[in-house]
Structures are given as C-alpha cells and as structure tokens.
Amino acid sequence: MRQANIIAALLGLSACSTAPESGPSPPAAPPPANDTCNARGHQHLVGRPRSEIPAPAKPELQRVACLGCPITM
C-alpha cells in the first residue's frame, strides 16, 4: 500500500513539471567548398552502369570503381 502511495505521489508531481526549454538553434551549414575538380559536372554519372559512362578524355584524371571496391579519396 505504501508503494502505491509513493508511485501515485511521483506521478502527480511529474504531471506538474514543465517541458524543458529548447536550447539555441544549431549553427548554419558551412558554405559549400569550391568545386576545384569539376565533380559537380559529373554527378549525372554517379550510379550508372560502366557501359553508359563515356570514355574519358583524360583517363588519368578519372576513375570508375565498383560498389564493393575499396578506394581512397
């Protein structure tokens, strides 16, 4: 019986609590970096089969990797 009274008192007190105040808003996203390697111009090729990708003019500057292939940045 005593435990029921304690639980009822705790539930009653928790109903009186207020919602926590929200903190400051998160900082704005940083500005996008310069596209020095023209990656933005090739986004339409991402996810396409290798057979649909045209032959590069400078193959040493581009690479095609499979989904399971480990690559570096």
Side-chain angles (χ1 to χ4, degrees):
M1 184 63 140
R2 183 174 178 180
Q3 288 179 343
N5 289 339
I6 293 173
I7 292 174
L10 290 175
L11 287 175
L13 288 174
S14 67
C16 297
S17 66
T18 59
E21 294 183 22
S22 61
S25 61
N34 293 337
D35 191 16
T36 56
C37 63
N38 194 23
R40 198 172 291 141
H42 299 307
Q43 288 300 311
H44 67 282
L45 299 174
V46 174
R48 297 237 173 163
R50 185 179 289 194
S51 60
E52 291 183 17
I53 299 174
K58 296 182 179 180
E60 67 275 1
L61 298 178
Q62 298 174 350
R63 61 183 171 175
V64 177
C66 64
L67 293 176
C69 298
I71 57 173
T72 60
M73 292 184 72

